[in-house]
Amino acid sequence: MSRAINPLVGWTVERSAIRTIGQDLQRPECILAEADGTLWSADARGGVMRISPDGTQQLIAQNIRKGVDANDPTTLILGGATLPNGLAINRDGDFLIANFGTDAIELMHRDGRSRTLYTHIDGQPLGKTNFVLCDSRDRIWFTVTTRLQPWTRSINEKAPDGYVGLIDERGIRIVADGFVGTNEIRFDAREEWLYVVESNARRISRLRVAPDGTLSDREVFGPADLSGTPDGFAFDVYGNLWITIVQTDRLIALTPEGDVLTLLDDCEPARREVYNRHFYAGTMTPQIMAATKGTIAPWMASVTFGGPDLRTVYLGSLMGTTIPYFQSPVAGVPLVHWNR
């Protein structure tokens, strides 16, 4: 029996169909959707923004630290006192936070009560914590982009010092390292493979997942160079991997065969060319990065499926103040918190 035609082949996002939700947000880098229509957005003021289906919103701030100025591109890049980046919801409904400002893995209850879970691993500081993910066994997976100080050195130096960590009943440990700018991670629908964004290598890698959390058989999935800096990603039920290209603001997809489909492009070609030239030359600066942002989701950083049928696509960003969304021809794979 032949497989159905890929619903993304020949499909692109119509700009006229894009709507927005939320207002006056600060660095809505990571978006989580719940089955009742509630959205949760990371917020640079330190915590998360709760956005109801009717658009009303409430900032739930961490009670431990002050956030950063989201209007300053330098602080958005370098971080500050607290800068929630990757988010996940655990079985108890609490938020796990990879804090890009404090270099820690934190837990925040829905009333703002917070505590730091980990700042060190193997006796050393964690490094620049980027993303956190829960699996169906209630284990916590996380990424560290780099241990270089400041972390922006890793963009130009292409340092392979990023890693993936695991927190389970055995504690905290590194399960895979040697990544070039580790960013988001996702499981496939069966949790057989863990996919890893290597932002500064411009590629997606994947590793086979053993029952005990051991990772093996590492390989590059798709092109060795995506011609842009990947940041966030998510699977749809067909098996396409939707990927945001940050700073040069594109939304692409890798088919199950590893082919690239461009779904949305919001960057001027001339600015993209300048950005790419400096990226490959190792001469990138915050000013060059800031010059390439688009208008839909400036510095497009993440993609999330939500809505009653998981066909609503939300785009997170580093420099946006609202969340763009549109309808997809195919549903997304739900995260583990979706049916809890």
Side-chain angles (χ1 to χ4, degrees):
M1 184 176 178
S2 62
R3 187 176 188 181
I5 296 175
N6 190 331
L8 292 189
V9 173
W11 180 84
T12 57
V13 181
E14 294 288 343
R15 288 175 179 251
S16 61
I18 299 175
R19 302 290 183 265
T20 62
I21 189 169
Q23 59 183 348
D24 300 322
L25 306 179
Q26 293 192 18
R27 199 179 184 270
E29 199 278 350
C30 184
I31 313 297
L32 294 178
E34 292 190 292
D36 66 357
T38 302
L39 297 179
W40 301 91
S41 169
D43 196 282
R45 285 163 288 201
V48 297
M49 182 70 79
R50 182 186 188 275
I51 306 176
S52 301
D54 64 3
T56 58
Q57 58 190 53
Q58 175 191 9
L59 177 65
I60 302 176
Q62 294 172 285
N63 61 1
I64 50 178
R65 299 178 184 90
K66 182 180 178 181
V68 303
D69 181 3
N71 297 312
D72 181 357
T74 300
T75 61
L76 289 180
I77 295 170
L78 295 178
T82 184
L83 194 59
N85 201 70
L87 304 175
I89 298 175
N90 67 12
R91 183 173 292 277
D92 295 327
D94 299 321
F95 294 97
L96 296 160
I97 299 174
N99 197 309
F100 208 69
T102 63
D103 296 351
I105 304 297
E106 300 165 346
L107 183 142
M108 187 183 83
H109 300 283
R110 297 200 177 197
D111 60 3
R113 289 180 296 119
S114 304
R115 61 188 174 94
T116 299
L117 299 181
Y118 292 96
T119 58
H120 287 69
I121 192 168
D122 297 332
Q124 299 294 321
L126 286 173
K128 190 55 62 178
T129 51
N130 187 303
F131 195 70
V132 64
L133 180 69
C134 293
D135 67 12
S136 60
R137 302 185 181 201
D138 296 326
R139 297 179 297 194
I140 302 169
W141 302 75
F142 66 94
T143 66
V144 167
T145 299
T146 181
R147 280 172 161 163
L148 293 179
Q149 295 288 345
W151 77 268
T152 47
R153 287 174 50 198
S154 67
I155 299 174
N156 289 327
E157 297 178 22
K158 313 294 188 292
D161 68 337
Y163 63 88
V164 175
L166 176 60
I167 302 169
D168 60 10
E169 69 280 357
R170 295 165 52 188
I172 184 171
R173 63 187 185 278
I174 296 173
V175 288
D177 56 14
F179 297 102
V180 185
T182 333
N183 210 307
E184 287 200 10
I185 47 177
R186 296 288 184 196
F187 292 104
D188 63 4
R190 296 183 178 182
E191 295 187 354
E192 294 176 339
W193 290 89
L194 181 70
Y195 289 71
V196 182
V197 171
E198 292 189 75
S199 291
N200 297 330
R202 296 189 159 192
R203 67 190 177 209
I204 307 298
S205 292
R206 69 176 186 175
L207 304 96
R208 193 179 301 276
V209 184
D212 66 354
T214 301
L215 301 178
S216 63
D217 299 336
R218 177 177 170 179
E219 63 185 23
V220 174
F221 177 71
D225 189 328
L226 292 171
S227 301
T229 304
D231 192 328
F233 57 175
F235 275 104
D236 66 32
V237 295
Y238 185 86
N240 298 302
L241 187 57
W242 298 49
I243 305 167
T244 59
I245 303 298
V246 71
Q247 292 150 359
T248 52
D249 289 1
R250 279 187 297 142
L251 179 65
I252 66 173
L254 287 180
T255 69
E257 296 75 31
D259 299 324
V260 177
L261 304 175
T262 298
L263 308 179
L264 178 65
D265 190 341
D266 192 35
C267 182
E268 295 180 6
R271 292 186 176 184
R272 181 185 298 122
E273 182 180 349
V274 172
Y275 177 96
N276 287 336
R277 185 167 66 248
H278 283 280
F279 177 87
Y280 289 117
T283 55
M284 189 64 70
T285 66
Q287 292 73 27
I288 293 168
M289 289 189 283
T292 60
K293 67 178 181 179
T295 59
I296 297 173
W299 284 10
M300 191 185 300
S302 67
V303 55
T304 301
F305 287 92
D309 55 2
L310 283 165
R311 288 176 178 258
T312 304
V313 178
Y314 300 94
L315 297 177
S317 64
L318 297 182
M319 299 187 73
T321 58
T322 189
I323 299 171
Y325 67 93
F326 55 86
Q327 296 302 304
S328 163
V330 59
V333 172
L335 296 178
V336 293
H337 70 262
W338 185 260
N339 295 313
R340 290 178 175 172

